[in-house]
Amino acid sequence: MYNGIAIILSKPSLIDTKLEKLLSGVDGDWFFNTCLPDHSRDECHISLLPALPQGTKYVILLGAKAATYANTSLELHGYPCRFQNLPAIVGYLPEDCCEHYYKDRDIIETEVEDKDSAPTRKVNYGFWTAQNIKKLFRSQPVYPPLSTIINPTIKDACSILNKTVNQELFLDIETSRSNRHLSCIGFSTTKTWPNVYVIPIYDFKGTLVCQPLNAFYRAFSRALTKNTVVGHNLSFDLLILSAFLRFPLPSQSYDTMLGHHRCFPESEKSLRHAIALWTSCPYHKDEITDPHSTNQDMQLWSYNAKDVYVLKLSKDTQLAYADENLTASINQANSMIQPYLANTIKGLRLDVIKLSKIEQQLNRDLLQYKRVCSTLVGKDFNPSSPLQCVDFFHKKLNYP
């Protein structure tokens, strides 16, 4: 009996072609056991064609070609989309997801350090496909609409910041890659969200926009120390603000990237991935730009507001997902932000005289240990030499 789930593949796998049946073999078994554990292959409509039978409720699009049927791309997996006015989700082909596909291949992938939109590594195709399909069947939350206030009066911005005490301060900054200056500061608070305030600092020409700057900086500094600062990859934002602009480090912080990492340590941690996993917000990471015009300035500031908006949604969903022990782990990671950044900026006090004495003592101890080893072996012996260790332990003592 048809369960209303339609699965559209971009292409058949080699096993599918040989058996003349889609989602067959190990790939199909993995897909249904991992992604659709409560449904069988016979209950679903599986096809290579973008045609849906009557009674379809959900659509799963697997592979790059299938993603185009919903006017999206495989890179935007996890973001909500619709196909023929039905809820749909994009995922990777099962043959690319299966763990066995990479077992006998020396695949070395380094994670791209991009806080915004790092690519998905092949070893995580299976994880993201399974998570995205689970998300498809959950009821989609209705979020209050984002209200973006760009370049409010400094008086209004300072008034909001001065009244914000013992709340959450959702924060994101944008910097100019070409001009190397602070483009804007976007913020919202527990009481003002979903209103997001974007304070332009410098425009694309390098002209100061925020005036009087000292009044805003004073109110912003106070808000940093009086609230819990929430951001994604705060180690970047707070480092820029503290090391280069001399803002104080907040005593309490919540980094949604650290929370994401504690929940799923091996998955990608970029904001693009975090938004797809923890929220149902539409994709907006392609709107970032390095401004060279007034319109591009406005585009960047609007983009910044969307980043700030999703911070509250991500944080709330992470803490709702985490149990007591996982919450404690997330809090432990976030408690390290301030001391690590402080040490990065100011350095550590080092007693070079004491360090020299410790080094001399360790060298004397090492010399004595080598003498003891030589005495036990019966000849000069260097325990740091792998060749001498192999000769003694494996050839002479016959250790396995």
Side-chain angles (χ1 to χ4, degrees):
M1 184 176 179
Y2 184 40
N3 60 6
I5 301 175
I7 304 170
I8 300 177
L9 300 165
S10 295
K11 63 179 181 178
S13 68
L14 295 176
I15 300 176
D16 294 346
T17 302
K18 186 174 182 179
L19 299 179
E20 298 182 348
K21 185 178 182 181
L22 296 176
L23 288 181
S24 55
V26 178
D27 301 337
D29 291 342
W30 171 87
F31 180 79
F32 283 98
N33 291 335
T34 306
C35 302
L36 293 173
D38 298 327
H39 304 276
S40 68
R41 182 185 283 102
D42 296 333
E43 294 176 335
C44 301
H45 170 74
I46 308 172
S47 175
L48 298 174
L49 302 175
L52 304 178
Q54 188 175 5
T56 299
K57 301 177 182 177
Y58 304 99
V59 183
I60 300 173
L61 304 167
L62 300 178
K65 181 180 178 181
T68 62
Y69 299 150
N71 297 318
T72 184
S73 71
L74 193 54
E75 288 301 310
L76 303 187
H77 63 82
Y79 283 87
C81 61
R82 299 189 73 81
F83 177 67
Q84 297 186 11
N85 206 29
L86 292 172
I89 205 75
V90 170
Y92 292 94
L93 287 167
E95 63 184 284
D96 295 331
C97 295
C98 287
E99 183 180 358
H100 78 87
Y101 185 79
Y102 300 103
K103 271 187 176 178
D104 300 325
R105 293 166 168 79
D106 293 329
I107 294 183
I108 301 176
E109 296 182 289
T110 56
E111 185 174 359
V112 178
E113 293 296 332
D114 186 339
K115 79 165 194 170
D116 287 317
S117 55
T120 303
R121 293 174 294 163
K122 292 180 179 179
V123 293
N124 286 333
Y125 282 1
F127 167 81
W128 286 108
T129 298
Q131 291 294 327
N132 296 340
I133 291 175
K134 292 176 183 177
K135 179 180 177 180
L136 175 64
F137 301 118
R138 293 196 294 264
S139 59
Q140 298 302 310
V142 178
Y143 301 135
L146 164 65
S147 176
T148 303
I149 300 95
I150 296 177
N151 200 15
T153 66
I154 297 302
K155 181 179 178 181
D156 289 343
C158 292
S159 176
I160 294 169
L161 291 171
N162 288 331
K163 293 177 182 178
T164 303
V165 179
N166 296 327
Q167 298 182 41
E168 291 175 333
L169 179 67
F170 306 102
L171 172 67
D172 187 51
I173 68 171
E174 305 297 339
T175 56
S176 172
R177 296 175 176 85
S178 57
N179 295 323
R180 302 182 66 85
H181 63 226
L182 183 64
S183 297
C184 66
I185 297 176
F187 72 89
S188 185
T189 70
T190 304
K191 293 183 178 180
T192 62
W193 189 91
N195 296 334
V196 176
Y197 301 86
V198 179
I199 312 299
I201 306 300
Y202 290 95
D203 64 12
F204 74 98
K205 297 178 181 179
T207 304
L208 181 64
V209 179
C210 178
Q211 296 188 27
L213 184 63
N214 61 335
F216 172 73
Y217 273 18
R218 182 167 57 249
F220 182 64
S221 297
R222 180 180 180 277
L224 286 175
T225 60
K226 299 291 184 180
N227 301 278
T228 299
V229 177
V230 180
H232 191 84
N233 193 13
L234 280 174
S235 294
F236 171 81
D237 296 57
L238 296 180
L239 180 64
I240 296 296
L241 292 173
S242 183
F244 297 101
L245 299 174
R246 299 297 187 264
F247 283 105
L249 289 173
S251 57
Q252 293 184 322
S253 307
Y254 186 98
D255 192 333
T256 55
M257 188 179 76
L258 292 181
H260 176 93
H261 185 58
R262 287 299 169 109
C263 293
F264 301 103
E266 296 183 0
S267 71
E268 285 72 15
K269 303 182 291 294
S270 74
L271 187 54
R272 172 173 77 89
H273 289 90
I275 294 173
L277 181 63
W278 301 108
T279 80
S280 295
C281 294
Y283 183 72
H284 73 272
K285 302 305 291 182
D286 56 347
E287 299 174 14
I288 189 171
T289 182
D290 194 10
H292 292 88
S293 68
T294 301
N295 288 339
Q296 290 180 345
D297 268 337
M298 290 298 298
Q299 179 179 332
L300 179 66
W301 300 335
S302 298
Y303 164 87
N304 173 260
K306 294 176 182 179
D307 275 358
V308 174
Y309 174 78
V310 299
L311 292 173
K312 174 176 169 54
L313 303 176
S314 297
K315 176 181 181 292
D316 291 348
T317 312
Q318 286 177 6
L319 294 180
Y321 169 83
D323 59 18
E324 182 179 354
N325 293 329
L326 184 53
T327 299
S329 177
I330 294 173
N331 292 336
Q332 188 273 336
N334 283 308
S335 68
M336 293 293 102
I337 294 176
Q338 196 270 350
Y340 280 171
L341 281 177
N343 288 333
T344 300
I345 297 170
K346 299 180 180 180
L348 294 170
R349 289 184 178 274
L350 181 63
D351 189 334
V352 293
I353 297 177
K354 184 177 181 180
L355 178 63
S356 177
K357 291 180 179 179
I358 293 175
E359 184 179 8
Q360 293 174 8
Q361 181 61 48
L362 291 175
N363 287 333
R364 287 193 292 268
D365 293 343
L366 179 60
L367 180 62
Q368 294 301 321
Y369 292 145
K370 287 183 176 180
R371 289 175 178 173
V372 171
C373 289
S374 297
T375 301
L376 294 174
V377 173
K379 62 178 183 179
D380 287 341
F381 180 77
N382 180 13
S384 301
S385 169
L387 181 61
Q388 292 187 33
C389 289
V390 169
D391 289 338
F392 179 73
F393 289 107
H394 300 291
K395 293 183 179 179
K396 184 175 181 178
L397 299 183
N398 295 322
Y399 279 16

